[in-house]
Amino acid sequence: MVEKTEYKIYTERECKEEPYRKKVRLFGYVVGENAPVVLICPGGAYKFISDFNEGEPFAREFNKRGINAFVLFYSVGFNARYPRPVKDVARSMQFIKANAEKLCVDGNNISLMGSSAGGHLCAFFSSQYERYESDYCGKEYSLRPKTLMLCYPLITMGEKTHKVSRRNFLGILPGKTEINASSVEKLVKGNFPPTFVWACEDDGTVDYRNSEMLCDALRKNSVPYEFKLFKTGGHGIGLANGKEPEGWFESCFEFYKKHI
């Protein structure tokens, strides 16, 4: 089994400037061999990190298939207000790219995977990555994800949103401008990465129509995508062992291989 290793993505000086950064953690599951990378953002309503079902298990599955994986414990709870979690994703990608040779990974081939609120974070970042490309360790890196993989994702901050996630990300009373500016279905453009998404009709936490909204936007912008909608399964089921969506990971991986 690949060893789990923790990496610090912010310097001591940066943590002194913004103390919330001390709680941000990046865990690597590195097989090396200059193989591609998947950066995983588990769900948790921007309140906590659901690593036990949507982090490490996914990383281990990628490792079995020869892919390097990292799980990001991004800013949540009182620290979840935009843009902090988004900056955490950007810095994680910069860190992996800057240290690619040392880690023996392909720093030019990084994809994102997110579940629930982590799905919103990854999808939102995929629509905004150009805004977060800046100099890091003396070099500027492209932060466009190769592919995007989403499990029962939160997409909109509008009517069909998950209210706890929205409150943590935008605050108690976000205005219409803030809501529209963080609703991914309104932000998709032609440079959005190829996307695999799946959800369950009986999801009582994040309405499956979030996924449909995203897919409508992807189709309108001619972005390659695959959408799998299951009747049952609910929410937060990770690999979905023993449930109807069991096997989604294989479908996801086949899509992933086509687009990296």
Side-chain angles (χ1 to χ4, degrees):
M1 181 180 290
V2 175
E3 183 179 352
K4 174 182 176 181
T5 305
E6 182 175 355
Y7 299 97
K8 293 181 180 180
I9 61 173
Y10 291 113
T11 65
E12 288 186 15
R13 181 175 61 82
E14 288 172 329
C15 289
K16 286 182 179 179
E17 292 172 352
E18 298 282 355
Y20 81 88
R21 291 170 172 161
K22 295 178 183 178
K23 295 184 178 181
V24 177
R25 295 179 290 167
L26 182 68
F27 292 97
Y29 299 80
V30 179
V31 298
E33 300 182 7
N34 294 314
V37 174
V38 176
L39 176 61
I40 301 167
C41 295
Y46 284 116
K47 186 177 182 181
F48 62 96
I49 300 294
S50 192
D51 177 60
F52 78 97
N53 62 335
E54 297 161 354
E56 182 167 345
F58 293 174
R60 298 292 184 193
E61 289 298 320
F62 280 111
N63 285 170
K64 290 176 186 177
R65 294 160 177 81
I67 305 298
N68 296 294
F70 291 81
V71 177
L72 175 60
F73 280 49
Y74 51 90
S75 298
V76 292
F78 293 114
N79 296 323
R81 285 292 295 275
Y82 168 81
R84 288 175 176 177
V86 190
K87 288 184 175 180
D88 297 337
V89 175
R91 172 51 62 90
S92 296
M93 291 186 71
Q94 289 173 325
F95 173 85
I96 295 167
K97 287 173 177 288
N99 292 281
E101 186 174 351
K102 180 180 177 182
L103 294 167
C104 295
V105 305
D106 185 351
N108 294 316
N109 195 333
I110 303 178
S111 297
L112 293 181
M113 170 176 267
S115 304
S116 193
H120 174 265
L121 175 58
C122 291
F124 182 70
F125 179 83
S126 295
S127 73
Q128 303 290 301
Y129 66 89
E130 291 174 308
R131 296 177 59 187
Y132 295 92
E133 292 176 340
S134 59
D135 183 83
Y136 176 71
C137 293
K139 188 175 179 181
E140 189 167 312
Y141 303 92
S142 169
L143 299 184
R144 181 180 184 270
K146 274 282 188 176
T147 58
L148 177 63
M149 296 163 277
L150 304 174
C151 310
Y152 36 83
L154 173 66
I155 294 298
T156 188
M157 289 291 167
E159 182 183 350
K160 300 294 182 184
T161 195
H162 180 246
K163 292 181 180 179
V164 174
S165 298
R166 182 175 68 185
R167 183 172 68 241
N168 287 325
F169 191 66
L170 294 180
I172 297 175
L173 294 172
K176 186 175 180 180
T177 300
E178 290 176 293
I179 288 172
N180 288 338
S182 52
S183 293
V184 182
E185 77 277 10
K186 298 179 182 294
L187 305 173
V188 173
K189 296 179 181 178
N191 63 346
F192 202 83
T195 302
F196 179 93
V197 58
W198 69 277
C200 302
E201 289 185 17
D202 68 345
D203 191 327
T205 303
V206 175
D207 193 313
Y208 74 90
R209 283 170 286 192
N210 277 255
S211 295
E212 291 185 336
M213 287 183 213
L214 175 62
C215 291
D216 284 344
L218 295 173
R219 183 171 57 254
K220 289 175 182 176
N221 286 274
S222 300
V223 177
Y225 75 94
E226 182 176 335
F227 177 38
K228 288 193 173 295
L229 180 61
F230 302 94
K231 286 285 185 184
T232 64
H235 190 80
I237 56 175
L239 293 171
N241 295 325
K243 298 180 181 293
E244 184 191 348
E246 185 174 24
W248 71 263
F249 193 93
E250 287 300 331
S251 298
C252 178
F253 192 72
E254 288 302 313
F255 179 89
Y256 167 76
K257 286 196 298 182
K258 290 178 184 176
H259 294 282
I260 60 170

